[in-house]
Every structure is written in structure tokens, then in C-alpha cells.
Amino acid sequence: MKNKNLMNMKCFDFHCQGESHKAAKKVCQDYSYSHSNENGDVVAIVCDGHGGERYFRSDVGAKLATKITSENVEFFLEHVDKSLFVGLPYSSCPARQFAINPIDKIFRQLFSSVISCWKIAISDHAQNTPISEYEKEHVGQKYLAEFSQGGCLEKTYGCTLIAYVQTSRFWFAFQIGDGKCISFDFDGNSKEPIPWDDRCFLNETTSMCDIGALDNFRYCYCGDGTFPVAVFLGSDGVDVSFGEEHNLVNFYTNVINHLATKGLLEVESEIVEDLPELSRRGSKDDMSLAFVYDENGVSHVYDLWNNDRIKDVVPVQDVTPEIAMEQGPSRVDEEVVKGVDSQKPIVCVEPIDVVPNTTEDHSGGIKPQCGVFVAVVRILKRLRLLFLNVKGLIDYVRRKNKT
């Protein structure tokens, strides 16, 4: 449904140090950014620096990638022929499948510019920032020697990237690596607009630091006047904490509910308080979240959900990785057993098994594609779901006893 006339766009971003990084006294390697201007353009970006000793300046790489991307997007919006987008329906392009048409050519130019500028920026940083005492103490001599010789700087600063851009006439989003982009339309339905890359599995991910990174970008766009009412970008630390995608969608659904009923300032406070706790109880990883939303549009969707009894307003802090909340408009929860009490924990369902490709593990190694590895992963995923369900039930009983 067209919702162009409703648009009153706002944005927010937040990133925080993960629980495991606090314990290891490592800096936050995530970075997020959001911005809107007087023209009605809005941008949201999330970058996740790789873990592992090999990527010892990935926090800087993520910050630089965010800055470079925002600058290139701004230049893109100033100079692109916007008429190219007018009337185009939603379209997407997976990684390694660039089409040959005017739209795909200009996106390829944008991504190429982002990569080139990022490489220049990390090279300048490497030349102007000597190896620190902390790095000498915590990074292996092999990587320090390689860095001193100017070799493989891209690996040292490696990170992933997700971006969403909206103007008054069109919108587009692009990504390289893991993390999730989830959008909600005017009818309250959710989707993942950017095509997924199956090579992103567990600690394996495509990256800005890959050889041939340009071909690993994937993207989507729309110029027919149909705009999302809300778009959320989250690093993999967020989506991994919820396990199943429908749990992540339900978390964002409750953020929308609170945006409509409480406003952005209160939601900001909740997210700043809750994301560190989510890391502690979930992935233990750094957390990055950026979102844009149409203030009038989320109110419309909230009224739609409320009138249809599709959604209940649940405090954001109650949506934990241990508890899958009520069914949502994504209609993906049919296998979940729903409790009579809206505050009851919902049993998580087993994920669909995914067989990984052999790609680089950006936490520090190469994970082979083999039957034993896949079988072990499947067993571990099932054990984790069992643990989350049991813990969710225990937390529910504790809450009930308190009341």
C-alpha cells in the first residue's frame, strides 16, 4: 500500500560493548549511525568489526566503514539521476548476481566507491597510528609483523556493513556480511528485504575485507511510492540472541508498539538499558541497532494490530532471547505453542538446518564443510534451544511468584 503522504521520518541508533568483550577487556567492535536531513532523506548504518586476534583493529574498521558509507551515500543522493528510480517496483539482487542495467550499474559504482574509500581510510590510519602497547601485549607477533610491513590491512580492519537509505521518492538498502535488516510495511507485515547470503553461517561471513568484496554486496530498492513504515538494522549479536527470526521480528514489533504509544525518547531509554542485558543473556556479543520509522505510519500499524488483536503491547525488556513472544503479522509462528496467558513463555521451535559453504571464519580460522561438522552444529543448536526453553520457563515462574 502506498503511504507516501504519511511520511514523517525519524531515526535512532545505539551500539554497546558485549558481555564477553567486557570480561576480556576488549573494546566494542560494533558501530552504528543514523541521520535525517531537511530534504527528508534518512540513513541508517550498522557495521560489525570481526572478532579474533587477526582483526585487532576491526573496531576502527567499523567506524571508518560507517563514516565512509554515510559520506558516499550523501554524494550518491546529490548526484544520482533520481528519475531512474521513479515507478520501479521493489527489486532485489543477491550477492554475485549483478544485473546489467542502469540501476545495477550505479549501485555497483556506489559499492566500489565505498570499498575504495574505506581502503584508503584504513591505510591512512595504519600509517598514522603506530602499534600500541596494548596491541603488543595482546596480538600475536605474526600479525603485528604483517601489519608493520603493510600487508593485509583489510583483514586487520575487517568488518561487515548494512545500510538503509530513504528519500521522498525512493528507498534502497544494501549489505555485505551477516546481521539482519527487517522491515515492516503499511499493513503491518514484516520481511527481510535484502536477500540473504547463505555463506553467512555461524562465525563465517562475507566481509569488507574479502578479496572480491564488490561481488559480495547484495541489495534491494523501490521507487513506486511504497515505503516501509519501519526498518531495523541489527548486527549479528542481536539476531543470534533471539535464535529464531520470528523472535527477532516480535522484538521489533514491540519496539514499534512502544514507538506508537510512548514515543522515541522512552524507547531510546529502554533500548540503551536493554541491549547490554540482551547481550548478557544471549549472544554475549557486541550489540548494534539502528532504525528509521515513519511516526504516523507506526501509529497506523499499531492501531491495525490492536484492532485486529494481532499484537499485544509487551514491555521491550520482557522480550528476551529465552522467550518467544506472541504471534505476529509475519505469520511464521504456526508451529509455536501459544500460551493462554499473554505473558507466558512460548516454546521455541527448531530452526531449519542450513548446510554451510566453506567461507572464512572471521573469528579466526577456516571451518570446513563436512558432514561431521554440520551434524555437530545441528546438535548444538537443538541443545541451545532446549536450554533456552527451560530457562524461559524458570524465568516465567519466578516472575509469577514475585507477583
Side-chain angles (χ1 to χ4, degrees):
M1 181 180 291
K2 304 287 194 295
N3 58 305
K4 182 175 180 178
N5 294 330
L6 288 175
M7 288 193 300
N8 181 20
M9 301 305 296
K10 292 191 175 183
C11 56
F12 171 75
D13 66 271
F14 177 69
H15 55 276
C16 65
Q17 186 182 28
E19 193 70 15
S20 64
H21 285 202
K22 292 177 183 178
K25 297 182 179 180
K26 293 173 60 177
V27 297
C28 176
Q29 295 167 321
D30 278 16
Y31 206 76
S32 60
Y33 169 85
S34 63
H35 175 72
S36 60
N37 62 24
E38 63 278 1
N39 297 325
D41 303 332
V42 62
V43 179
I45 302 170
V46 162
C47 288
D48 182 357
H50 301 319
E53 184 182 9
R54 177 70 185 84
Y55 311 93
F56 61 88
R57 287 190 177 177
S58 67
D59 60 313
V60 178
K63 292 179 183 179
L64 291 175
T66 302
K67 179 176 182 293
I68 293 298
T69 300
S70 65
E71 292 173 347
N72 275 269
V73 164
E74 182 180 0
F75 184 86
F76 179 88
L77 293 179
E78 288 176 354
H79 295 87
V80 70
D81 181 2
K82 296 178 175 60
S83 66
L84 290 173
F85 290 91
V86 175
L88 293 179
Y90 165 80
S91 301
S92 64
C93 184
R96 299 174 294 175
Q97 293 185 26
F98 279 93
I100 303 176
N101 60 57
I103 292 292
D104 293 286
K105 286 182 179 179
I106 62 174
F107 277 126
R108 194 170 180 88
Q109 291 170 357
L110 171 62
F111 305 152
S112 178
S113 179
V114 169
I115 294 171
S116 298
C117 293
W118 180 73
K119 288 183 177 181
I120 293 171
I122 63 174
S123 178
D124 289 344
H125 184 272
Q127 292 177 12
N128 296 321
T129 311
I131 295 173
S132 67
E133 291 301 319
Y134 177 88
E135 290 170 339
K136 290 178 182 178
E137 182 179 348
H138 293 85
V139 180
Q141 187 58 40
K142 170 185 175 182
Y143 301 127
L144 294 179
E146 187 177 62
F147 176 83
S148 298
Q149 297 167 6
C152 296
L153 289 181
E154 294 87 354
K155 297 291 184 183
T156 304
Y157 292 84
C159 65
T160 64
L161 166 66
I162 317 174
Y164 175 79
V165 182
Q166 181 171 313
T167 75
S168 61
R169 302 175 69 182
F170 61 91
W171 63 266
F172 63 90
F174 56 91
Q175 180 173 3
I176 182 169
D178 52 19
K180 293 284 186 178
C181 172
I182 303 293
S183 67
F184 290 80
D185 66 20
F186 196 64
D187 295 320
N189 300 308
S190 65
K191 68 182 293 185
E192 188 174 355
I194 306 174
W196 184 245
D197 190 335
D198 288 335
R199 293 173 295 169
C200 300
F201 181 78
L202 297 179
N203 287 332
E204 300 168 358
T205 181
T206 55
S207 167
M208 289 282 289
C209 71
D210 290 339
I211 297 174
L214 178 59
D215 292 327
N216 291 331
F217 272 88
R218 53 201 200 266
Y219 59 96
C220 59
Y221 57 89
C222 181
D224 66 0
T226 304
F227 294 86
V229 297
V231 179
F232 296 87
L233 313 180
S235 61
D236 70 324
V238 178
D239 60 80
V240 168
S241 293
F242 287 100
E244 294 291 291
E245 185 171 310
H246 59 261
N247 298 335
L248 178 66
V249 168
N250 285 327
F251 171 70
Y252 291 148
T253 295
N254 284 283
V255 174
I256 290 176
N257 286 335
H258 283 204
L259 288 170
T261 58
K262 299 181 179 181
L264 180 58
L265 287 179
E266 188 158 346
V267 170
E268 287 178 359
S269 300
E270 290 177 340
I271 289 176
V272 169
E273 179 181 351
D274 295 338
L275 277 192
E277 177 65 11
L278 180 63
S279 175
R280 186 185 71 82
R281 300 176 67 180
S283 66
K284 307 292 190 293
D285 199 0
D286 293 336
M287 297 282 179
S288 285
L289 177 63
F291 61 82
V292 305
Y293 71 99
D294 171 7
E295 189 172 32
N296 299 320
V298 297
S299 295
H300 164 81
V301 168
Y302 171 77
D303 290 339
L304 181 67
W305 287 341
N306 188 57
N307 292 338
D308 292 345
R309 297 186 177 275
I310 295 177
K311 290 289 174 181
D312 290 325
V313 179
V314 180
V316 172
Q317 59 266 27
D318 287 351
V319 187
T320 68
E322 292 84 1
I323 302 175
M325 302 307 296
E326 300 290 338
Q327 283 187 293
S330 58
R331 305 292 195 270
V332 295
D333 297 345
E334 294 179 359
E335 296 180 54
V336 181
V337 180
K338 184 175 178 181
V340 175
D341 184 341
S342 63
Q343 293 296 318
K344 278 191 176 180
I346 309 302
V347 179
C348 299
V349 297
E350 290 187 353
I352 298 173
D353 293 321
V354 179
V355 179
N357 295 313
T358 302
T359 55
E360 186 163 354
D361 174 359
H362 290 292
S363 66
I366 298 292
K367 289 191 175 179
Q369 178 177 336
C370 63
V372 173
F373 171 71
V374 173
V376 170
V377 168
R378 290 172 178 172
I379 292 171
L380 291 175
K381 289 167 75 175
R382 285 165 170 76
L383 289 174
R384 178 177 179 275
L385 283 171
L386 176 62
F387 170 76
L388 294 180
N389 286 325
V390 172
K391 192 171 186 301
L393 289 169
I394 293 173
D395 289 343
Y396 165 70
V397 172
R398 287 175 177 171
R399 288 199 304 272
K400 282 293 185 181
N401 289 337
K402 288 181 180 179
T403 59

